[in-house]
Amino acid sequence: MKLGAYTACLHDRPLTEALGVLRDLELDGAEINSGGFLPAPHLPIAAVRSSHDAREEYLGQFAAAGIELTVLNCNGNPLHPDPEVRDKHGQDVLDAIELAALLGVRRVVTMSGLPAADPQGQLPSWTVLPWDSAYLDARDHQWNDVAVPYWRTVQARAADADVIVCVEMHPHNLVYNPATMVRLAEEIHATHVGAEMDPSHLFWQGIDPIAALGALGGLVQNAAAKDTRINEHAKINGVLDDRFGRVRPDEPGAVSLGGRYTLSRWPTSSSWDFVAVGRGHDVAFWSDFLAALGKIDPDMAVNIEHEDQELDRLDGLRFAARVLLTASDRD
């Protein structure tokens, strides 16, 4: 099993320094951003496309650090009703397939995306509990008219390149749990589209990630190591807590999500938080999680994703790496 980290939390450092951080943490894999929500400071896209020599020079930086480039990441919303976002994010996924093939990388991670509820809609709409048939109508449009045609294109491109596109099951996307992942795979007759197992987004939905691995089996092609802590306020507001705040695009520290959209402000006294591996679930869980992944693929790439707002970047990575290495019996 390849234990590594997604380098988005190290975008303030040059690639060679970021790889040195991973090496010093005794990790052996890296996931690099190629587009979508985030920029790609660790991937010289034009150079990678330009020549074999440029690609060899780029990959040589990984070899020198003893780190394997295992995954490209382009999480975004390729189905967004706003064309300014949709066109870029949708193309980024297709470009990531091309870039992965050029670099000899077999995995690309992204999200399924989320369209509007109807053809005239201007904002994404998450339809998750269709107790009223109006929501079934919305869901039919989202899947049949928007998602399936796009993802058939992704499947065809990925098959031609022999690259696996791994869909992160992420709320506020059409694919957010095992059932929706299976639906996508069946709708597009997937051979080169599978699942990324990120347990953090399953925990707060009340899903057992290990049971989900059992249900998905070989559809799982990649994994993230990120934890979630359920807080006491979940007993009051539940996990569907909408007390997020608006962040203006011109505010200091605003994070763009494409176009005019920004990352919202997290609620105080939140119902749940993303935390470093081991701060939501103990080593015993992570040991069982890695073992379940190993039954699917003993060479699975598992990359730490740091989003713990209570720890700085290096402390969070260090904490997560130590727990993950202990859980894998490599400590």
Side-chain angles (χ1 to χ4, degrees):
M1 190 162 288
K2 300 179 181 71
L3 302 182
Y6 178 31
T7 66
C9 65
L10 299 172
H11 276 179
D12 60 332
R13 301 162 184 260
L15 176 62
T16 52
E17 187 176 334
L19 295 178
V21 170
L22 304 192
R23 179 195 59 224
D24 292 346
L25 293 176
E26 301 180 40
L27 300 172
D28 51 27
E31 180 174 336
I32 302 295
N33 205 72
S34 67
F37 290 134
L38 300 179
H42 290 165
L43 181 64
I45 293 173
V48 166
R49 283 181 165 144
S50 68
S51 71
H52 175 77
D53 288 346
R55 293 190 287 274
E56 289 297 302
E57 181 180 350
Y58 177 66
L59 292 171
Q61 297 178 69
F62 292 84
I67 301 292
E68 180 180 351
L69 174 56
T70 57
V71 189
L72 297 186
N73 186 304
C74 59
N75 276 335
N77 187 352
L79 308 180
H80 202 293
D82 185 333
E84 185 177 2
V85 180
R86 179 183 66 244
D87 293 350
K88 178 187 183 299
H89 291 185
Q91 187 60 46
D92 282 352
V93 175
L94 302 179
D95 289 348
I97 294 169
E98 173 200 357
L99 293 166
L102 287 170
L103 291 167
V105 175
R106 290 294 318 286
R107 301 289 185 271
V108 167
V109 168
T110 190
M111 297 172 183
S112 64
L114 183 66
D118 63 82
Q120 288 74 45
Q122 298 181 6
L123 296 170
S125 178
W126 194 34
T127 302
V128 295
L129 191 63
W131 62 271
D132 181 325
S133 65
Y135 305 127
L136 289 174
D137 293 342
R139 192 178 65 179
D140 287 347
H141 162 70
Q142 291 175 311
W143 278 91
N144 300 337
D145 301 337
V146 186
V148 171
Y150 173 78
W151 278 95
R152 282 178 176 158
T153 298
V154 173
Q155 157 63 28
R157 295 282 190 92
D160 286 346
D162 195 23
V163 168
I164 308 296
V165 177
C166 307
V167 178
E168 182 176 349
M169 295 174 285
H170 194 296
H172 288 278
N173 281 261
L174 287 186
V175 172
Y176 59 91
N177 64 8
T180 49
M181 182 67 241
V182 169
R183 175 175 180 176
L184 179 65
E186 291 178 345
E187 292 271 10
I188 65 173
H189 306 290
T191 61
H192 286 72
V193 173
E196 185 198 40
M197 171 52 69
D198 181 340
S200 68
H201 298 289
L202 303 187
F203 284 136
W204 72 259
Q205 295 182 72
I207 298 170
D208 177 348
I210 295 174
L213 285 169
L216 290 167
L219 264 179
V220 177
Q221 293 285 332
N222 192 73
K226 191 172 74 171
D227 210 341
T228 300
R229 181 186 64 218
I230 307 298
N231 300 325
E232 283 296 305
H233 276 80
K235 296 176 182 177
I236 300 169
N237 293 312
V239 296
L240 298 178
D241 181 359
D242 75 343
R243 295 174 298 125
F244 288 72
R246 186 178 299 280
V247 177
R248 298 189 314 274
D250 60 350
E251 283 188 43
V255 177
S256 173
L257 297 180
R260 61 187 176 88
Y261 310 103
T262 60
L263 184 67
S264 300
R265 185 172 291 106
W266 201 260
T268 57
S269 303
S270 54
S271 292
W272 53 271
D273 292 294
F274 293 131
V275 292
V277 172
R279 297 191 69 223
H281 296 78
D282 61 16
V283 171
F285 166 81
W286 289 100
S287 180
D288 291 344
F289 178 72
L290 293 177
L293 287 172
K295 290 178 182 177
I296 296 171
D297 179 1
D299 294 323
M300 183 86 67
V302 184
N303 290 313
I304 295 165
E305 185 174 358
H306 173 64
E307 292 187 10
D308 191 325
Q309 297 303 305
E310 298 168 354
L311 299 176
D312 73 21
R313 297 172 183 186
L314 289 182
D315 286 345
L317 277 178
R318 189 176 297 111
F319 189 98
R322 187 53 50 207
V323 171
L324 207 60
L325 289 167
T326 301
S328 69
D329 293 326
R330 284 168 52 178
D331 190 13

